[in-house]
Amino acid sequence: MGFDAHEFAAIGMRTKTVIWGIFFIFAALATGLLNLQVIHGKSYRALSDKNCIRLLPQLGARGRIVDTTGEVIVDNKLAYDALYIPQTGGIEQTIANVSSVLGISPAELKNIIRKNMAGPSVAVVLAKDIGLKKAIALEEIKIDSPGIMVQQRPVRHYPYESLGCHVFGYVNEIDRWRLTKLSDYGYKTKDLVGFGGIEEKYDYYLREEEGGVSFLVDHVGRFVRLLGYREAVSGKDVQLTLNLKAQKIIEDNLKGHKGSVIVLEPYSGAIVAMASYPDFSPSSFTEHRTAEISRVVRDADSPLLNRAISGIYPAGSVFKIIVSCAGLETKKINLNTSFSCAGGTYIGKQEFSCWDTHGQQSLIPAIAHSCNVFFYKTGIMLGSGTIHDYAVKFGLSRPVPLELPYEASGFVPSAVWRRIYKFKSWYAGDTANLSIGQGDLLVTPLQMARMISVFANGGNLVAPYIVKEVEGKTFNRAKRPVSLGLKETTIEYIREGLRLAVSDPKGTASVLSGLPLQAAGKTGTAQAPPGQTHAWFAGFFPFQKPKYVLCVFLERGGPGYAASVIARHIIEAFIQEGLL
C-alpha cells in the first residue's frame, strides 16, 4: 500500500512542526539558563547565599552613665536567654529536657516555638532572663538537647533604683513614633532605646553596635560550619556633672514632698544635683514589671514628669528679685525709696493685700520681709512692659536649654499678648499681680535657679549644663556665662536683701540662720487656686564666696517657709558630707 504525494507532504509538514517545536523548547530553556547563569546570575547567587547563610545577632552593652567623680550610677548586667534553633530531629527529647530545667510545660514550649519560628535555623527565644543557675543547667544538657543554646545579653542596670531617675530616664523597646523618626539612622523594630533624660537625649552615643555570628546551613537548615564572627561594640560612656553624694542628699530630703530640688555651681552653671518627686524606678521598664509600669503611667501625680525642668508654676515672691533689679536699673527706685505697708493697698478701687503689716519699708527690708505693698507700688511705677523685658533678660519665657528633653519654656505675660490672644485690656491690677510673681506668669525651677545665680556670681547669666564628658572627651557645649550689664550697686543691694532674709529674725528665710556658714536667699509663696499654695526657696551659700545655688520647690507645699526648712536640712547635710 503506498502513499500519494499529498500524504507525503502532510507527513513532512508535521515533522517540521515537531522539529520547530523542539527547537523552540530548547531555545526557551537556553534563554532561561542564560538569564539564570549570566544576566541575573549574581543576584540569584546572592539569594542562594542568603538561603544557606544564617546570622545569630550578638548584643553589645549600652554605654554607662557616671557621676562627676567617675562613680558608676547607671550600668549594665548580664542576662541569660534560652534559645532554640529548629532541627530536623530530636525535638521531643529537647523539649522534655528543657521543660524540666525552665519549669515550662512541654505544651507551652511547643506553642512558643510554633508562634515565633521565622524559618529553619532562625533562633527562637524560649525564655528571657532565666538566671545564672538555669543557664548553667541548660549548658549541661546541651549534648542531649539538639538545637538548644544559651545567649548572654547585657541589660540596663540601675544600681541605685529611683535615684536620679528623671535625669537618667529609662530604656524600653522602640515605639512606632520613634521608629518613624529614627529608621534612617539605623534604628529598627524591637531595638531598645532611651525614653526621657540622658538615656533619650544621648541615645546616639550610649547605643551599642550589634555584632553577630554567621554560619552555614544545608538545604534543610541544618548547621554545617561556622563562617565568621563580628564582635559587638559597646556604647560610649557619658559622664555627668552630678555628684552622687549631693544627689542622695537632695532626694532624701525631697522624698514625700511633691516638687523638685536643684543644686548648681553659680559660676559655671554645672548642675551638681537635680531631683523631682514623685519618682519611679527605671528598672521596672527594663525588667518589664507590667503592674508597676501601669501604676506609674496612670498615677495622677505624674511620677514620670521632671518637675525641675518640665513643670511650670507661678513664681510667687521669688520674682520680686527681678522687679527689684528693674527698679534699680531704671532708677525708678533707689536704696532710700520706701512705702508704708498697712497690710494692703488700693490700686484703683480694688484692694491688694500683703501677707503681713510691715510698716515703712525700703528696698532691702522689703526683700527680706517679702513685702507685697512695696512691690505692688514699684511695679506700677515700672509698668508691665519694663517688668516683662527684665524677666526675659533673666532668661524667663524660653528654655535654658539643658541637655535633657522636654524642657518647658514658661511664660511671661504682656499687655500686647493679652490684647491679641485674650482680646482683653491690661490693667494696673495685672501689673500689680505680675510684680509679686502671680497672674499669668509661669516659670520652671531651673529658670529660678539660673536667675538667682546672677546675684551669686556677680551679674552673669549662666547656661546650666549636666553633661561633662562623653567617652573621656569634654562635651560641654554650653555657652559661656553672659554678663547682664547690671550695675555693681544693683547686685550689692539685692544681695544685702537676700542675706537679710536669712539673718533678720523677721526675714522670711530666717530658719537658715544659725548655720555654720552664711546663706542668702528668697522665699516665695505662690497662689495657685483652688489648691494649697506652692512653696519656693531660691538662694546660695556660702554668702561671701558662693559655691552652690540651691532652689527648692514644693508643689502645693504651703508657705515658702516649708521650702526653706528643706533648704536648711540640705545645707546641713552638705556640710556633714564634706561637700563644702
Side-chain angles (χ1 to χ4, degrees):
M1 181 175 171
F3 296 96
D4 60 24
H6 290 291
E7 289 175 332
F8 273 112
I11 291 170
M13 184 63 68
R14 286 196 294 269
T15 303
K16 287 180 179 180
T17 302
V18 171
I19 292 171
W20 277 108
I22 292 170
F23 173 78
F24 281 119
I25 289 171
F26 276 100
L29 288 171
T31 303
L33 287 172
L34 181 68
N35 182 59
L36 286 171
Q37 298 292 335
V38 179
I39 299 174
H40 294 104
K42 289 184 179 179
S43 60
Y44 284 123
R45 178 55 186 249
L47 288 173
S48 176
D49 289 343
K50 287 182 180 178
N51 280 330
C52 66
I53 297 174
R54 296 289 183 265
L55 297 175
L56 185 64
Q58 299 288 320
L59 301 178
R62 195 168 171 84
R64 301 175 305 168
I65 300 176
V66 302
D67 84 338
T68 189
T69 66
E71 185 79 21
V72 178
I73 40 183
V74 178
D75 204 353
N76 302 286
K77 64 179 181 180
L78 282 179
Y80 301 90
D81 299 338
L83 275 62
Y84 174 67
I85 299 178
Q87 303 290 306
T88 56
I91 185 170
E92 294 296 335
Q93 182 61 46
T94 297
I95 287 177
N97 293 342
V98 172
S99 175
S100 62
V101 173
L102 297 181
I104 301 174
S105 70
E108 190 174 347
L109 285 173
K110 288 180 180 179
N111 189 44
I112 292 171
I113 293 171
R114 185 173 62 255
K115 282 185 175 181
N116 298 286
M117 191 167 69
S121 296
V122 177
V124 176
V125 179
L126 298 178
K128 286 188 173 184
D129 201 6
I130 61 176
L132 182 58
K133 288 184 179 180
K134 289 182 179 179
I136 294 171
L138 284 182
E139 288 288 344
E140 291 174 346
I141 65 169
K142 276 176 65 174
I143 296 176
D144 301 320
S145 307
I148 263 306
M149 64 179 295
V150 176
Q151 184 180 49
Q152 292 182 351
R153 174 173 54 91
V155 296
R156 211 51 163 161
H157 178 49
Y158 301 89
Y160 298 100
E161 285 298 328
S162 62
L163 187 78
C165 59
H166 294 95
V167 173
F168 309 138
Y170 61 92
V171 173
N172 205 358
E173 193 172 290
I174 193 168
D175 57 13
R176 184 178 297 177
W177 181 83
R178 285 173 173 78
L179 184 60
T180 302
K181 298 288 184 183
L182 301 172
S183 58
D184 291 341
Y185 298 92
Y187 289 78
K188 56 187 183 299
T189 306
K190 302 291 185 181
D191 275 359
L192 295 177
V193 298
F195 285 74
I198 295 295
E199 294 279 26
E200 178 172 337
K201 194 73 172 182
Y202 281 74
D203 187 79
Y204 177 80
Y205 297 97
L206 293 165
R207 191 167 179 248
E208 70 282 357
E209 289 183 25
E210 192 177 85
V213 176
S214 61
F215 55 94
L216 190 68
V217 297
D218 62 16
H219 67 286
V220 292
R222 292 173 298 194
F223 176 84
V224 176
R225 63 186 174 87
L226 184 68
L227 295 177
Y229 171 72
R230 187 179 75 177
E231 188 176 0
V233 179
S234 296
K236 295 178 173 61
D237 290 347
V238 175
Q239 184 174 27
L240 306 183
T241 58
L242 291 190
N243 182 291
L244 186 58
K245 281 185 179 180
Q247 188 69 26
K248 287 179 179 177
I249 289 170
I250 68 169
E251 293 205 20
D252 287 345
N253 283 280
L254 182 61
K255 197 168 290 291
H257 302 276
K258 190 159 61 172
S260 69
V261 177
I262 299 167
V263 180
L264 61 80
E265 295 177 355
Y267 293 95
S268 68
I271 292 180
V272 178
M274 175 186 285
S276 179
Y277 194 87
D279 56 13
F280 66 95
S281 174
S283 298
S284 61
F285 293 89
T286 305
E287 298 170 6
H288 307 290
R289 299 199 292 261
T290 309
E292 188 173 342
I293 293 171
S294 179
R295 179 192 63 78
V296 168
V297 171
R298 295 178 182 179
D299 194 329
D301 287 334
S302 305
L304 294 175
L305 176 69
N306 185 353
R307 286 169 164 78
I309 65 169
S310 302
I312 49 174
Y313 312 93
S317 294
V318 179
F319 188 74
K320 293 172 181 175
I321 297 171
I322 292 177
V323 177
S324 301
C325 183
L328 291 169
E329 287 292 299
T330 58
K331 298 182 180 180
K332 294 291 184 180
I333 61 170
N334 56 45
L335 199 58
N336 298 317
T337 302
S338 67
F339 302 105
S340 178
C341 173
T345 188
Y346 279 89
I347 298 174
K349 295 181 179 180
Q350 186 176 355
E351 184 178 10
F352 285 74
S353 63
C354 187
W355 68 277
D356 199 359
T357 301
H358 296 105
Q360 202 70 23
Q361 292 281 285
S362 57
L363 176 65
I364 292 174
I367 294 173
H369 304 147
S370 198
C371 176
N372 286 351
V373 169
F374 182 92
F375 291 99
Y376 289 145
K377 295 188 175 183
T378 299
I380 296 297
M381 292 167 62
L382 287 167
S384 64
T386 301
I387 297 173
H388 173 276
D389 292 346
Y390 270 86
V392 172
K393 186 174 184 176
F394 274 87
L396 305 190
S397 197
R398 64 180 186 270
V400 166
L402 189 65
E403 307 102 310
L404 294 176
Y406 314 119
E407 184 185 352
S409 299
F411 181 69
V412 180
S414 68
V416 174
W417 163 81
R418 175 72 66 83
R419 172 63 66 186
I420 294 174
Y421 291 100
K422 288 200 169 185
F423 307 105
K424 294 180 180 179
S425 298
W426 184 279
Y427 299 102
D430 297 314
T431 303
N433 273 331
L434 179 60
S435 301
I436 62 167
Q438 295 289 164
D440 294 307
L441 177 71
L442 293 171
V443 301
T444 68
L446 180 60
Q447 288 173 336
M448 291 293 93
R450 187 189 191 196
M451 180 272 292
I452 201 76
S453 69
V454 172
F455 302 97
N457 64 32
N460 296 318
L461 188 66
V462 296
Y465 67 98
I466 202 166
V467 174
K468 184 177 181 181
E469 294 180 352
V470 174
E471 198 71 5
K473 296 180 180 178
T474 301
F475 209 75
N476 173 20
R477 296 175 297 177
K479 297 177 181 178
R480 291 182 178 180
V482 176
S483 173
L484 294 186
L486 304 179
K487 293 179 288 190
E488 288 185 13
T489 52
T490 297
I491 298 169
E492 180 188 344
Y493 295 159
I494 292 175
R495 279 175 59 90
E496 286 183 28
L498 297 174
R499 174 60 192 146
L500 191 64
V502 173
S503 61
D504 186 344
K506 292 184 179 180
T508 56
S510 61
V511 70
L512 294 171
S513 62
L515 288 168
L517 53 76
Q518 291 185 338
K522 181 78 186 73
T523 60
T525 304
Q527 303 291 330
Q532 194 176 15
T533 58
H534 301 312
W536 287 93
F537 172 81
F540 51 88
F541 58 97
F543 176 69
Q544 294 300 334
K545 294 182 178 180
K547 186 174 182 180
Y548 300 114
V549 161
L550 172 63
C551 180
V552 178
F553 170 75
L554 303 181
E555 187 176 323
R556 306 294 181 189
Y561 173 82
S564 60
V565 169
I566 289 179
R568 180 186 177 98
H569 293 158
I570 289 171
I571 296 172
E572 289 174 334
F574 269 48
I575 295 169
Q576 291 171 3
E577 291 294 329
L579 293 171
L580 286 163

